[in-house]
Amino acid sequence: MAVYALTGFSLVSLLSFGYLSWDWMKPSLVADVATDPMEKSLPPAFTRPPHIIFILTDDQGYHDVGYHGSDIQTPTLDRLAAEGVKLENYYIQPICTPSRSQLITGRYQIHTGLQHSIIRPRQPNCLPLDQVTLPQKLQEAGYSTHMVGKWHLGFYKKECLPTRRGFDTFLGSLTGNVDYYTYDNCDGPGVCGYDLHEGEDVAWDQSGKYSTFLYTQRVSKILASHSPKEPIFIYVAFQAVHTPLQSPKEYIYRYRSMGNVARRKYAAMVTCMDEAVKNITWALKKYGYYDNSVIVFSTDNGGQTFSGGSNWPLRGRKGTYWEGGVRGIGFVHSPLIKRKRRTSWALVHITDWYPTLVSLARGNLSNVPGLDGYNVWPAISEGKESPRTEILHNIDPLYNHAKYGSLEDGFGIWNTAVQASIRVGEWKLLTGDPGYSDWIPPQTLTNFPGSWWNLERLTNGLRKSVWLFNITADPYERYDLSDQRPDVVRTLLMRLVHYNRTAIPVRYPAENPRAHPDFNGGAWGPWASEDDVEEWEGGGEPLKSRNKKKKCKICKLRSFFRKLNTRLMSNRI
């Protein structure tokens, strides 16, 4: 009772601060008025496949864009969204690898074996090689395909690399996060390496260049060297605004009045990324691509509130299945859209981009059965009803089981201790442990009240394992209706059972010490030999026991490097 009272008191307090004054249903805080004379003309005839630019940002919170009422300046994103179609019922996944895998395959992560966590740098794991990827389908349709930015879909062998999965060119990082200038990444104490690659080679010569600038310059170079008469697909997966919080000083200076240091640095990174999108759009126009282009903008997951991000007024954060973790910023900007300058409430999921973009490219989807995505272009361009009526957010059997969940609580058909979430129509169900469950306002104050963090721990500790919300009426997830509507709970649990029957086993192998950058020239990159791959994929003995057998070899190798390093240092002295 005390916990509920505390929750209610905090929400009332926020009303007094004015934090809940943003109108959820208001289409935009930016006037939907075109300022470019070019936009007043009719769109060109859809006579040839369009150029496709897909921009994905990393850890950008739902609140962290101007047209969602943010204190962060994003004039480019605001204008592109205002002149296109804002997707305000758009869903992504709560962490990096799952969102990227579903974008690239058009399939839920339960259908690729990636339903648990992310792909770690030292894991012998990657996007399943039997999956036909989005860029591969676009190549079949005659597209030139290019990737710039963060991969994070595995790299333990060369067949996993972007250039082997459908991209003609690649410049970016293979792991989950790197330094924005040095491109170093540490996967634990002493396990550090360089991670910037050009194609399948290490791009040592690019060190020192801020990644947002570097990636934008590469996109411009690609456009300058390609003919606008030939279709092109560019996947721009910005590292921004993932940690570490690093930005050029001139952007930080704009936010010098922000008391919260993390928020200040984060805001600078968002604005820098916004200007990068402006430069990409300018390049599209300069080199003759714009009139026949489709620009898709998407975030990959909710913002990390401990690192300056904000998902306000949504509940939760990155890594959770609350709306703050899975509802994303998304919009489409294109002269080819029939009904522009509007907000769409059509239900859209990140898996939908695969069939939507392949269809726009006039590609063939008949040889990729079993997609979980839908072609939502008619809903985006013409305002038609979305073909999607439900979303499986995920089923993760390996995540820590909820202490108070049981098969009995799931009507004997579902163990509510298992972490899972699904949306069907206007209803959303969560089971197990959905993650931190608080509503966290933008951290603009120097010392935000600690009671919020205490509240987060208290609400997370409630003896529950089932939640039900009417997301259409209650987008902030304040009113749990699981006790009032057991009929709806049972119906959605049956849908979880249905999806779980189609799930493939989770692939989350143990880390292998041979992936250490010290054994690979100081850089992260493919490390598995053909013999290793045959052994692992041939269903041999468990990976952990195999690692034990190879330990002495690794130790000998490490000893050799230590002795060599000692000799070199002695020579220098």
Side-chain angles (χ1 to χ4, degrees):
M1 180 64 70
V3 173
Y4 283 106
L6 180 57
T7 305
F9 172 78
S10 298
L11 286 171
V12 171
S13 300
L14 286 174
L15 282 168
S16 67
F17 282 120
Y19 283 123
L20 292 181
S21 61
W22 176 47
D23 185 356
W24 172 269
M25 297 301 292
K26 189 174 182 180
S28 174
L29 296 179
V30 177
D32 289 343
V33 178
T35 57
D36 188 343
M38 184 190 308
E39 292 297 323
K40 296 181 180 180
S41 61
L42 293 174
F46 216 149
T47 57
R48 62 185 189 276
H51 307 297
I52 301 170
I53 312 298
F54 195 102
I55 300 173
L56 187 72
T57 59
D58 200 340
D59 285 9
Q60 183 179 359
Y62 183 83
H63 182 69
D64 299 328
V65 66
Y67 67 86
H68 280 173
S70 178
D71 54 346
I72 299 177
Q73 301 167 22
T74 58
T76 302
L77 300 184
D78 296 344
R79 181 181 176 188
L80 291 177
E83 295 174 356
V85 176
K86 300 169 190 169
L87 305 177
E88 292 299 333
N89 206 4
Y90 174 56
Y91 286 86
I92 48 183
Q93 296 306 113
I95 49 178
C96 300
T97 296
S99 280
R100 293 161 203 275
S101 69
Q102 296 192 66
L103 165 66
I104 293 295
T105 67
R107 301 178 193 276
Y108 292 140
Q109 56 203 92
I110 65 164
H111 295 147
T112 59
L114 300 175
Q115 55 266 57
H116 179 68
S117 192
I118 61 173
I119 295 178
R120 306 295 310 180
R122 288 177 282 173
Q123 284 182 314
N125 196 14
C126 72
L127 189 72
L129 299 180
D130 61 350
Q131 295 290 324
V132 180
T133 67
L134 171 60
Q136 286 173 333
K137 294 304 297 180
L138 294 177
Q139 281 181 332
E140 290 179 8
Y143 275 68
S144 173
T145 59
H146 307 268
M147 180 179 173
V148 180
K150 173 177 168 178
W151 176 239
H152 207 186
L153 289 174
F155 58 87
Y156 77 102
K157 58 181 180 178
K158 287 189 176 181
E159 288 75 14
C160 301
L161 297 176
T163 48
R164 306 288 180 101
R165 304 311 305 271
F167 289 104
D168 296 327
T169 68
F170 169 69
L171 174 67
S173 60
L174 299 173
T175 61
N177 66 297
V178 299
D179 186 282
Y180 281 73
Y181 292 96
T182 67
Y183 300 96
D184 291 329
N185 176 29
C186 293
D187 187 42
V191 188
C192 302
Y194 185 80
D195 183 17
L196 183 64
H197 295 75
E198 173 87 57
E200 299 183 4
D201 299 321
V202 182
W204 298 103
D205 60 320
Q206 301 293 345
S207 179
K209 300 177 182 178
Y210 188 67
S211 72
T212 303
F213 294 159
L214 177 66
Y215 294 156
T216 305
Q217 291 166 0
R218 174 51 57 94
V219 173
S220 181
K221 184 177 179 180
I222 291 171
L223 292 172
S225 61
H226 186 78
S227 171
K229 295 180 180 179
E230 300 297 329
I232 190 171
F233 170 59
I234 305 180
Y235 172 35
V236 188
F238 281 117
Q239 175 187 353
V241 288
H242 196 291
T243 53
L245 299 179
Q246 296 172 303
S247 172
K249 291 182 180 179
E250 59 267 29
Y251 293 94
I252 296 177
Y253 185 76
R254 302 184 191 186
Y255 297 100
R256 60 191 180 278
S257 62
M258 278 190 178
N260 186 287
V261 176
R263 181 70 175 169
R264 185 191 313 159
K265 293 179 179 179
Y266 174 91
M269 295 165 71
V270 173
T271 296
C272 181
M273 177 274 297
D274 180 84
E275 291 193 7
V277 175
K278 176 182 178 181
N279 290 334
I280 291 173
T281 307
W282 180 83
L284 287 170
K285 293 182 178 181
K286 176 182 178 180
Y287 297 116
Y289 296 88
Y290 178 79
D291 288 347
N292 189 42
S293 69
V294 173
I295 301 173
V296 180
F297 181 90
S298 171
T299 49
D300 71 335
N301 48 245
Q304 179 53 273
T305 53
F306 296 146
S307 302
S310 174
N311 305 302
W312 185 257
L314 302 180
R315 186 177 187 176
R317 58 178 170 86
K318 174 184 177 178
T320 76
Y321 288 95
W322 303 106
E323 291 292 283
V326 296
R327 186 174 287 220
I329 300 172
F331 66 79
V332 180
H333 178 94
S334 172
L336 306 175
I337 294 175
K338 292 183 179 179
R339 291 184 56 197
K340 307 175 190 175
R341 304 179 185 88
R342 64 184 182 85
T343 296
S344 170
W345 293 93
L347 189 61
V348 179
H349 184 249
I350 195 167
T351 55
D352 296 331
W353 296 121
Y354 186 114
T356 299
L357 299 182
V358 173
S359 297
L360 275 176
R362 301 176 187 175
N364 180 17
L365 289 169
S366 63
N367 59 350
V368 281
L371 292 177
D372 294 307
Y374 295 85
N375 179 5
V376 292
W377 183 252
I380 293 171
S381 178
E382 303 172 45
K384 293 185 177 180
E385 186 176 350
S386 173
R388 176 177 289 280
T389 58
E390 63 183 49
I391 295 173
L392 175 68
H393 292 302
N394 195 26
I395 300 171
D396 186 350
L398 298 189
Y399 194 80
N400 296 332
H401 283 200
K403 184 177 180 180
Y404 300 102
S406 67
L407 189 62
E408 181 181 357
D409 289 341
F411 299 95
I413 59 176
W414 183 262
N415 183 357
T416 62
V418 175
Q419 186 191 62
S421 182
I422 189 171
R423 173 167 173 180
V424 178
E426 61 188 8
W427 296 102
K428 177 181 177 182
L429 180 78
L430 303 99
T431 70
D433 179 3
Y436 290 109
S437 59
D438 200 11
W439 298 265
I440 304 174
Q443 302 164 357
T444 54
L445 305 179
T446 305
N447 295 304
F448 202 80
S451 59
W452 272 96
W453 315 119
N454 296 331
L455 174 60
E456 185 170 289
R457 290 192 290 272
L458 286 170
T459 56
N460 197 42
L462 291 174
R463 298 189 176 190
K464 285 186 63 63
S465 62
V466 178
W467 293 262
L468 178 71
F469 301 96
N470 184 320
I471 289 299
T472 303
D474 178 26
Y476 310 130
E477 296 172 298
R478 297 183 210 158
Y479 308 108
D480 176 18
L481 302 176
S482 57
D483 291 336
Q484 293 94 314
R485 295 300 304 270
D487 57 322
V488 178
V489 171
R490 184 182 180 89
T491 298
L492 269 62
L493 288 176
M494 287 298 296
R495 292 304 295 161
L496 285 178
V497 171
H498 163 75
Y499 279 112
N500 200 43
R501 288 171 180 160
T502 70
I504 68 172
V506 178
R507 179 169 174 79
Y508 195 74
E511 296 181 343
N512 192 303
R514 286 179 51 202
H516 198 301
D518 284 357
F519 307 141
N520 298 283
W524 293 102
W527 50 269
S529 67
E530 292 184 5
D531 292 338
D532 291 330
V533 172
E534 289 179 3
E535 184 180 358
W536 297 334
E537 298 182 353
E541 57 187 301
L543 184 61
K544 288 184 179 179
S545 63
R546 289 200 302 272
N547 285 347
K548 288 180 181 178
K549 290 182 179 180
K550 294 182 180 180
K551 260 188 178 178
C552 64
K553 292 183 179 179
I554 297 298
C555 292
K556 289 179 180 178
L557 191 57
R558 285 184 176 177
S559 177
F560 168 76
F561 276 110
R562 288 195 190 100
K563 291 178 181 178
L564 180 62
N565 185 57
T566 301
R567 290 178 183 176
L568 290 174
M569 292 301 292
S570 298
N571 291 337
R572 288 180 183 178
I573 294 172

